[in-house]
Amino acid sequence: DAQVVLDPDELERLAAMAEDLMAEKDRTSTAQAESLPADAPIELVPPDPQEGGPFEITPERAILIAFDHRLDLRVTIGRIDDAQRKIVVAQNGLLPDLVLVGNMTVGQRRTLGTVDLPNANLLFDEGLYNAFVRFDLPLERTEERNAYRLAWIDLERSVRAGQQLEDQIKLDIRNSLRTLIEAREATKIQAQAVQVARRRVRSTELFLELGRAQIRDVLEARESLVSAENALTAAIVRYRVAELEFQRDLGVLQVGPNGLWEEFDPTDGAEHGDDRAQTN
C-alpha cells in the first residue's frame, strides 16, 4: 500500500541526454558530409573510451572498488577468518592437559542446631587446604584429531569459496563494462537512425510537393521516424539501466530512507570508501 511516486527529474535527464546526443550527431554528420565524398569507403571505428560516460572506468579500478564495497565478499572473508580460528582451537585440543585444582575450608560450619551461636571467626592458620594436579598425556586424541582435520577441510572450502566469489565479481564487473560500451554504441547507432529517418521525412515531403511522391510515402516516412525515436529512447534507457546495474555489481548503489537510490561518484577517489554522490 506504499504510495510510489516517480521522480520526474530522471525523465528530464534522459530527455536532455537525448537532445545532447542528437545535437552532437548533427554536428558530426554535417562535418562528415562536407569532408567525405559519396563514394568514400566505410571504415569501422572501434569504440572510443573518451566518449564513454562517467561509469566507464578501467576494469582494474572497478574491481578494486568492488572488492572494497561488496558485502558478500566481506562475509566470505569473515568465514575464512573464522575457519582459521577454528583450526587454532582444534590444534589446542591435541596438546596435553594440565589441570590444577585446589580448595580450602576456613572457619566453622553452621547447622540447624548452631544457628544461634555468635558469628564464627576466620582462622586461616587452622583451615583445611587441599590441592592436586592432574596431567593427561595426549595418548588418545582420535576425536580431537578428526576435529582438527575437519577444521582444515573447512578452511580449504572457505578459501575456495572466496576465490570463486572473487572470480565471479571480476567476471560480473567486466561483463557490466562491456554492457555499458555496447549500450553506448547502440545509442549512437539509434541516434544516426533518427537522423536518417528525419532526412527521409524531409525528402519525402519535398517529393510530395513536386508531385513525385504520394501521401502514403510521407506517412510511412513519419512512422519510421517515430519508430526510430522510440528505439533511441529505449537505447538511452538501456544505457541508464546499465549504469545502475554496474553500480549494483560494484556494491556502491544504496537506497536511502526516502526510497530513492544514492548514486556513486567515480570521480571522487571512489575506491577508498566514502564516495556517496548525488541522490536521484
Side-chain angles (χ1 to χ4, degrees):
D1 56 352
Q3 297 295 328
V4 179
V5 180
L6 299 179
D7 185 9
D9 295 338
E10 187 68 21
L11 297 178
E12 294 178 359
R13 279 188 289 270
L14 293 176
M17 184 185 304
E19 293 177 358
D20 296 340
L21 183 61
M22 291 305 303
E24 179 181 358
K25 288 302 175 183
D26 289 337
R27 292 191 298 268
T28 304
S29 61
T30 301
Q32 292 178 349
E34 295 175 355
S35 58
L36 295 179
D39 57 349
I42 299 176
E43 180 182 359
L44 297 179
V45 181
D48 187 3
Q50 301 297 329
E51 297 179 358
F55 291 100
E56 294 185 37
I57 58 181
T58 61
E60 293 77 13
R61 185 185 174 205
I63 291 173
L64 290 178
I65 296 175
F67 283 174
D68 191 38
H69 290 83
R70 286 285 292 262
L71 298 181
D72 52 349
L73 182 60
R74 295 183 184 179
V75 172
T76 303
I77 295 176
R79 290 174 179 172
I80 296 176
D81 296 337
D82 293 339
Q84 292 176 340
R85 286 190 289 267
K86 289 180 180 179
I87 289 179
V88 176
V89 174
Q91 186 178 12
N92 185 67
L94 299 174
L95 301 177
D97 294 334
L98 179 63
V99 181
L100 175 62
V101 179
N103 60 68
M104 68 176 183
T105 302
V106 180
Q108 300 175 350
R109 293 184 177 181
R110 289 301 189 187
T111 63
L112 293 177
T114 60
V115 293
D116 57 344
L117 295 179
N119 294 332
N121 296 323
L122 297 178
L123 302 176
F124 292 97
D125 55 344
E126 298 181 5
L128 179 62
Y129 302 92
N130 293 319
F132 65 91
V133 176
R134 186 180 66 193
F135 180 74
D136 294 334
L137 293 175
L139 300 179
E140 175 57 34
R141 289 290 190 270
T142 303
E143 183 178 355
E144 290 79 1
R145 184 180 66 250
N146 294 338
Y148 182 66
R149 291 178 178 176
L150 291 176
W152 271 105
I153 293 174
D154 184 65
L155 175 60
E156 294 295 332
R157 184 185 299 112
S158 300
V159 171
R160 288 194 298 269
Q163 293 173 346
Q164 182 179 3
L165 180 58
E166 287 183 355
D167 292 339
Q168 186 63 43
I169 290 175
K170 293 178 182 179
L171 179 61
D172 293 341
I173 293 301
R174 296 182 186 276
N175 288 337
S176 297
L177 287 174
R178 283 192 288 266
T179 301
L180 273 174
I181 297 176
E182 179 184 355
R184 170 164 57 88
E185 293 302 309
T187 303
K188 293 169 57 178
I189 293 174
Q190 294 301 329
Q192 294 176 354
V194 171
Q195 290 180 336
V196 173
R198 289 178 178 176
R199 294 194 191 100
R200 181 186 175 189
V201 170
R202 288 195 295 267
S203 62
T204 306
E205 290 176 349
L206 291 176
F207 286 152
L208 179 63
E209 294 177 359
L210 297 175
R212 299 173 57 184
Q214 300 178 0
I215 189 63
R216 182 185 62 184
D217 299 328
V218 176
L219 295 178
E220 290 178 352
R222 292 178 179 177
E223 183 178 358
S224 299
L225 176 59
V226 173
S227 299
E229 291 174 345
N230 291 337
L232 175 61
T233 302
I236 294 176
V237 172
R238 181 189 175 194
Y239 183 80
R240 181 60 180 149
V241 172
E243 287 184 336
L244 297 176
E245 291 177 347
F246 180 62
Q247 296 178 69
R248 178 204 60 195
D249 294 336
L250 290 179
V252 296
L253 184 62
Q254 304 293 332
V255 178
N258 56 355
L260 301 179
W261 60 71
E262 298 177 358
E263 288 199 58
F264 182 74
D265 188 358
T267 62
D268 291 342
E271 59 270 22
H272 298 296
D274 300 322
D275 307 64
R276 299 294 182 266
Q278 71 272 12
T279 300
N280 293 328

